[in-house]
Amino acid sequence: MINLIWAMDQNWLIGKDNELPWHYKKDLAYFKDKTKGQPVLMGDMTYDSLKSYYKDRPLPFGQLYIASISNRQFDDAIKVNDIDTFLENYQGDLFVIGGKTIYRLSLPYADRLYITFIDASHEGNVYFPPFDLSAYKLIQENQVDVLRFCVYEKVKA
Ligand SMILES: NC(=O)c1ccc[n+]([C@@H]2O[C@H](COP(=O)([O-])OP(=O)(O)OC[C@H]3O[C@@H](n4cnc5c(N)ncnc54)[C@H](OP(=O)(O)O)[C@@H]3O)[C@@H](O)[C@H]2O)c1
């Protein structure tokens, strides 16, 4: 199953330069709980952002897959340069953890969306790509302060 997980504000903002525009402890805890030890796919910008946060500590996921079309190599990850072929053939559970470019490329393959809606407006410059959320069915919803943790499943055609 291909899962996408992200947090966005009222304007679908997800980033400020190469960082998160906010710091919500409860959302970080939710993200950690869902992705701990899980195979994850991310873009190389998100990888750099997480690496600078974790410094010398290993990232807390299972197998890392990093999307990149450059010559860059990663000593702790498998590089993915053809996302379509990778996702078409992927077996088992995978969490796609960003960023914008990789969410956009992965959305057509998403079975499940873990969206944290932040009922507030923040400053930043990276937005989630527009898409039709009505193609998904809301299966879980939990409001905690300004955070609304929602899980959606793709409606089978
Ligand atoms: N709010 C959230 O939940 C959340 C979560 C994660 C990230 N973010 C935010 O998202 C932003 C980063 O997003 P981003 O779009 O700049 O970076 P990104 O999606 O993390 O990485 C983009 C990289 O993907 C590679 N790429 C591009 N097209 C590709 C393709 N067709 N196949 C394989 N690889 C490809 C390129 O790497 P090469 O140049 O090496 O080829 C490109 O630099 C940051 O602001 C971050 O904080 C927010």
Side-chain angles (χ1 to χ4, degrees):
M1 179 174 309
I2 307 296
N3 306 283
L4 268 58
I5 184 165
W6 77 93
M8 64 184 183
D9 84 352
Q10 287 170 337
N11 304 308
W12 289 32
L13 181 77
I14 62 165
K16 184 176 184 185
D17 302 325
N18 203 24
E19 293 186 350
L20 292 178
W22 47 71
H23 188 85
Y24 290 107
K25 269 194 178 160
K26 286 177 182 166
D27 185 52
L28 288 177
Y30 179 81
F31 174 76
K32 278 189 185 165
D33 178 59
K34 296 293 171 221
T35 57
K36 191 172 177 210
Q38 296 290 329
V40 293
L41 169 68
M42 70 189 103
D44 74 340
M45 301 296 287
T46 295
Y47 172 75
D48 289 341
S49 176
L50 284 168
K51 278 287 205 190
S52 67
Y53 178 73
Y54 278 93
K55 302 211 164 61
D56 295 334
R57 292 174 292 153
L59 300 184
F61 310 111
Q63 177 65 57
L64 304 181
Y65 296 98
I66 302 180
S68 166
I69 39 181
S70 71
N71 291 327
R72 192 171 166 192
Q73 295 299 327
F74 305 92
D75 56 12
D76 56 350
I78 294 174
K79 182 172 160 178
V80 172
N81 51 23
D82 181 345
I83 291 188
D84 290 304
T85 304
F86 174 74
L87 292 175
E88 269 162 26
N89 295 300
Y90 191 86
Q91 304 282 330
D93 278 330
L94 177 76
F95 278 84
V96 179
I97 61 167
K100 175 189 180 148
T101 311
I102 303 314
Y103 289 133
R104 179 175 56 75
L105 295 169
S106 305
L107 256 173
Y109 301 95
D111 301 298
R112 216 172 245 204
L113 309 177
Y114 290 83
I115 310 177
T116 303
F117 292 99
I118 299 167
D119 296 332
S121 175
H122 287 270
E123 299 241 322
N125 51 10
V126 184
Y127 292 85
F128 199 90
F131 75 102
D132 183 11
L133 190 54
S134 69
Y136 296 83
K137 181 176 174 226
L138 182 65
I139 57 165
Q140 262 180 55
E141 186 173 17
N142 184 23
Q143 180 96 33
V144 180
D145 311 327
V146 292
L147 306 175
R148 194 156 43 90
F149 297 101
C150 293
V151 183
Y152 291 85
E153 241 174 37
K154 181 85 160 264
V155 176
K156 303 267 184 279

